[in-house]
Amino acid sequence: MSRIQAWLRYSRRPGPLVGVSLAYLLLVSGVMIWRGISVSPDYLLLILVPVALLSGRFLRFLRDWVPFIALFLGYEAVRGIAPKSGIKAHYEWPIQIDKALFGGTDPSQWVQAQLGSLHWLAVACTVVYFCHFIIPIAVGMVLWLVDRVQFLRYTVALLAMSFAAFVVFLLVPVAPPWLAGQHHLLPGVQSLISLPSSVSPYYNWLDPDASAAFPSLHAAYPLLAALALWPVTRRGAALAFTWCAAVWFSVVYLGQHYVTDVLGGIVFAVLTWMIMTYILVPMVPSLQHRPAAAGPAGAEPAGAGPGVSEPSSTDLDTAEPAGTQERATPLGSGGSDR
């Protein structure tokens, strides 16, 4: 029994817990994609339950994650209203902007003409494309395990950015390149998504919006995740920025987004995170790190179980007065990973 308790104490440290949780999430998500099951937020909430149990913070998990996922799913449901607005989808101006940026050549058209016959590349890019929900929620899980305040900042920013993008989808609907190809505006461009995908019953009920290309949330979500990771782990943020590049190439190669859409997503993510950091954080106490309350030496944090110290933002980050820059939180047992 003592060995089991020792293993639980070790596995609940931030570094090992993040590693085990990421490996588990990627394994389950990989199997689902392999079996042709789209990994949507409702499935991911259920997948994360074992992580919550292992962390010893199941009630906090329900309190933090259920409202977030519910709002996320609500956003997806509301997004189905956009096609019913009666506003005609735009086809030509994103093509014109892309051609102006690339000297008269449309990048989607060019890259599919050069690489469209590579089936392995289409499959790899499709896997990247299907990780649209996996990566932002995986990053949310990492932040929740390591720094709950940063998790709250990230989820508020993610939802705010999503609903702001919905307003643009509603008022300025833009058709994706593959749809423009079907209307003979981009000859040769088609959807190269190469894996079958069945969605959850909830997602099967939703009415997808085919004219929600600008801004690209496929481009915005991973960038916002990278920006949120930056104060916590430099190595993790570097991996996230690398993933962003893979996503940006994939959505253009697959004919799902214009480069203009990708640039719009980048602007949305950067502006959202700047508003969060410089406007909301100083105004909202729950989004600020606070110094740990002084207590008797050796005392455990309130609410922690026997032998289990629940990580919190003050345990894992060096708290500083509001308005000062926060130091990065190392995920391993060593020093900072800047």
Side-chain angles (χ1 to χ4, degrees):
M1 184 63 68
S2 59
R3 288 186 177 181
I4 296 176
Q5 291 176 342
W7 181 85
L8 282 174
R9 282 196 296 269
Y10 174 76
S11 65
R12 286 174 177 174
R13 293 172 56 194
L17 184 56
V18 166
V20 170
S21 301
L22 280 177
Y24 160 75
L25 182 61
L26 293 177
L27 176 63
V28 174
S29 300
V31 170
M32 291 179 69
I33 292 174
W34 172 54
R35 301 303 298 172
I37 303 172
S38 180
V39 189
S40 55
D42 49 344
Y43 282 160
L44 284 167
L45 177 64
L46 298 177
I47 291 172
L48 289 177
V49 167
V51 175
L53 293 173
L54 179 61
S55 71
R57 290 179 278 167
F58 183 71
L59 293 180
R60 173 170 283 188
F61 171 82
L62 294 178
R63 187 171 70 242
D64 290 343
W65 280 91
V66 170
F68 166 52
I69 296 296
L71 286 170
F72 210 166
L73 293 175
Y75 157 74
E76 291 293 316
V78 169
R79 196 176 66 162
I81 298 173
K84 303 177 178 65
S85 66
I87 301 176
K88 186 178 179 180
H90 296 273
Y91 283 84
E92 295 186 355
W93 67 259
I95 299 175
Q96 294 169 352
I97 294 176
D98 268 23
K99 287 184 176 181
L101 292 173
F102 290 89
T105 300
D106 183 85
S108 296
Q109 204 171 32
W110 183 87
V111 75
Q112 286 200 3
Q114 301 299 318
L115 305 173
S117 61
L118 300 178
H119 180 67
W120 66 267
L121 181 59
V123 171
C125 290
T126 300
V127 171
V128 172
Y129 184 81
F130 281 178
C131 291
H132 178 49
F133 292 118
I134 298 172
I135 297 303
I137 290 184
V139 169
M141 178 194 68
V142 170
L143 294 175
W144 183 75
L145 292 171
V146 176
D147 185 339
R148 183 173 176 267
V149 172
Q150 191 71 355
F151 165 80
L152 294 176
R153 295 175 182 175
Y154 170 64
T155 54
V156 170
L158 187 69
L159 290 169
M161 183 178 69
S162 298
F163 280 98
F166 164 73
V167 175
V168 179
F169 298 156
L170 186 65
L171 299 179
V172 190
V174 174
W178 64 266
L179 197 52
Q182 290 184 1
H183 287 78
H184 310 292
L185 297 174
L186 281 177
V189 175
Q190 57 184 317
S191 176
L192 294 182
I193 290 180
S194 301
L195 292 174
S197 178
S198 61
V199 298
S200 70
Y202 176 83
Y203 264 69
N204 194 43
W205 172 76
L206 293 177
D207 185 11
D209 184 4
S211 299
F214 181 89
S216 169
L217 290 183
H218 273 84
Y221 280 0
L223 180 57
L224 187 70
L227 294 173
L229 281 173
W230 183 255
V232 176
T233 166
R234 297 293 193 260
R235 284 194 293 265
L239 289 174
F241 283 122
T242 303
W243 180 261
C244 288
V247 173
W248 299 342
F249 171 81
S250 296
V251 296
V252 174
Y253 171 74
L254 294 172
Q256 305 302 312
H257 286 285
Y258 298 98
V259 171
T260 301
D261 304 333
V262 172
L263 294 176
I266 292 172
V267 171
F268 259 64
V270 172
L271 286 179
T272 300
W273 194 246
M274 289 179 66
I275 292 171
M276 168 58 64
T277 303
Y278 297 109
I279 298 179
L280 288 183
V281 169
M283 294 174 55
V284 182
S286 61
L287 298 177
Q288 300 169 7
H289 289 100
R290 298 190 176 188
E300 291 184 351
V308 179
S309 178
E310 179 178 320
S312 67
S313 60
T314 52
D315 294 327
L316 301 168
D317 252 340
T318 301
E320 298 180 5
T324 61
Q325 185 178 6
E326 294 156 9
R327 290 176 10 189
T329 303
L331 291 181
S333 58
S336 173
D337 58 352
R338 288 176 183 266

